[in-house]
Amino acid sequence: MGRDVEQPTGGKQPSQVRHSSRSDAISSNYQAAKAAMNRGHSLATSSALAEAIDAYSEAIQILDTLPPSQETSNSLGAALMNRGQLLHQCHGLEQAERALQDFQRAARLLTPLKLATWPRRNLNGVLLNQANLLLDLQLPSDALHVANTAIETVRFERHADPTDTELAVLAARSYCDAVGQLLPTLPPPEQDRLAQQANKHSQSALAHIRALRPYLTHEPFAQASQRLFHFGCLLLATLLPAELPHLIAHHFQDLQDERTRTQLINTSREAIQLALQEISKTAKSPHTSPQEQDSLAQLSERLGELHQQLPFL
């Protein structure tokens, strides 16, 4: 009887060799997918949008062949998010269905991973892009639901990272944009409920904007800040005009940028004029008591003084 052949010391069993080769192939494919994503980002930055879409499609095709893991699912979700956003940017609403499919699939991949930092940020990017596309499609109810999911996913924290706070601000902006589209279609009781909720989100966002102005100065954040301030002012002017002076005066604190200051002054003037119109209507109502009329007169005087002070705040 011959004896068994001994394996050389330190050698790999055949199964180990096969496993190692498979791992190497997976790693190589994953690196190829990441390279395609990096190429897509570079092309998008250079405004070569069609080529960027192709690069992200290549990355998605590769990632679809890899075993699912937190890393590959996060990358696949990010690639789908970026392709969907570029489809919207490049083709408008012509590719809306395809872009929505990318966003929906990305959300399904990323939602189970949202306790981890970057999957959560990617998920919020997906939801924000999806909400904005739904707004362009004139589907405010759907956009409101998606934006609310984004707000719940990344809540404002006192010591939040600026990246997370920016995502929360953008989510609040999308929510308020959806409310703006939706309000005229609702009965008064539902209008009041939704407006109060939107006011809560906008005021929370504006408070964090003031805290993070030195860290988030780029254009998209500045645009979102201006739109939220505009929305918040007009909402208070019609619902709670007595709170409008505090919001305006507070939002001008520590504001250094002159361009932003000019925009805020114009928005504040518009809101003050609207508030004065609403106050005048209420004061003329036969249901308004003399005491309420006195309070409204004082508020009108305060708003008038604030209108004059705006350039000096």
Side-chain angles (χ1 to χ4, degrees):
M1 266 177 86
R3 62 185 181 87
D4 293 336
V5 178
E6 296 179 358
Q7 292 290 337
T9 303
K12 295 181 179 179
Q13 300 289 341
S15 62
Q16 291 176 306
V17 173
R18 287 193 297 271
H19 179 72
S20 177
S21 298
R22 183 169 179 268
S23 296
D24 290 345
I26 291 171
S27 177
S28 176
N29 287 339
Y30 184 56
Q31 293 305 315
K34 290 203 295 185
M37 291 179 68
N38 289 335
R39 188 168 68 254
H41 175 74
S42 178
L43 288 164
T45 303
S46 303
S47 298
L49 302 187
E51 293 84 350
I53 290 170
D54 290 341
Y56 282 116
S57 295
E58 178 185 340
I60 291 165
Q61 186 175 11
I62 296 171
L63 289 165
D64 272 334
T65 69
L66 302 181
S69 67
Q70 177 167 313
E71 189 175 28
T72 58
S73 294
N74 180 53
S75 295
L76 180 54
L80 287 162
M81 170 186 67
N82 288 324
R83 186 174 71 176
Q85 191 273 333
L86 288 171
L87 286 169
H88 185 197
Q89 184 179 348
C90 189
H91 299 289
L93 301 182
E94 292 179 6
Q95 296 284 337
E97 184 176 352
R98 186 180 170 199
L100 285 173
Q101 288 175 352
D102 279 353
F103 294 146
Q104 289 162 358
R105 186 182 176 206
R108 288 195 298 270
L109 287 165
L110 295 168
T111 297
L113 310 176
K114 67 182 180 181
L115 293 180
T117 298
W118 277 107
R120 183 179 69 250
R121 290 173 180 170
N122 284 333
L123 174 60
N124 273 276
V126 169
L127 296 171
L128 290 172
N129 283 312
Q130 184 178 357
N132 291 334
L133 176 52
L134 290 167
L135 284 169
D136 283 355
L137 289 167
Q138 300 294 307
L139 296 171
S141 293
D142 294 339
L144 189 74
H145 172 73
V146 173
N148 191 59
T149 302
I151 290 172
E152 291 176 352
T153 302
V154 55
R155 294 187 178 278
F156 290 111
E157 302 288 346
R158 183 181 294 273
H159 302 295
D161 183 277
T163 300
D164 291 323
T165 299
E166 180 179 10
L167 287 168
V169 167
L170 294 172
R173 184 212 66 191
S174 295
Y175 184 95
C176 291
D177 285 347
V179 169
Q181 281 192 18
L182 199 55
L183 278 180
T185 69
L186 299 175
E190 186 64 15
Q191 283 183 345
D192 290 343
R193 184 197 66 78
L194 192 57
Q196 293 287 356
Q197 186 67 22
N199 181 54
K200 184 185 79 171
H201 288 320
S202 67
Q203 299 311 311
S204 179
L206 288 169
H208 283 79
I209 286 169
R210 290 190 291 271
L212 287 173
R213 273 180 184 147
Y215 310 103
L216 296 171
T217 57
H218 53 283
E219 191 63 22
F221 182 74
Q223 290 175 355
S225 302
Q226 174 64 14
R227 286 175 70 176
L228 273 169
F229 181 70
H230 186 267
F231 183 90
C233 281
L234 297 188
L235 209 58
L236 288 184
T238 54
L239 290 178
L240 299 165
E243 295 186 17
L244 183 60
H246 173 75
L247 171 65
I248 291 174
H250 199 48
H251 205 63
F252 275 84
Q253 290 180 359
D254 301 321
L255 178 60
Q256 303 298 325
D257 182 67
E258 285 304 316
R259 179 184 172 192
T260 301
R261 178 180 291 277
T262 299
Q263 291 173 333
L264 296 188
I265 288 173
N266 291 335
T267 295
S268 300
R269 283 176 172 157
E270 179 185 357
I272 289 171
Q273 291 294 338
L274 179 59
L276 289 172
Q277 292 172 15
E278 294 296 321
I279 290 169
S280 177
K281 289 179 189 176
T282 305
K284 293 176 182 177
S285 170
H287 303 292
T288 303
S289 69
Q291 293 84 356
E292 290 172 331
Q293 288 180 341
D294 287 342
S295 297
L296 291 171
Q298 293 174 13
L299 178 56
S300 294
E301 184 178 351
R302 186 181 174 195
L303 286 168
E305 292 173 352
L306 179 60
H307 192 279
Q308 297 299 321
Q309 295 168 0
L310 282 173
F312 311 105
L313 290 177

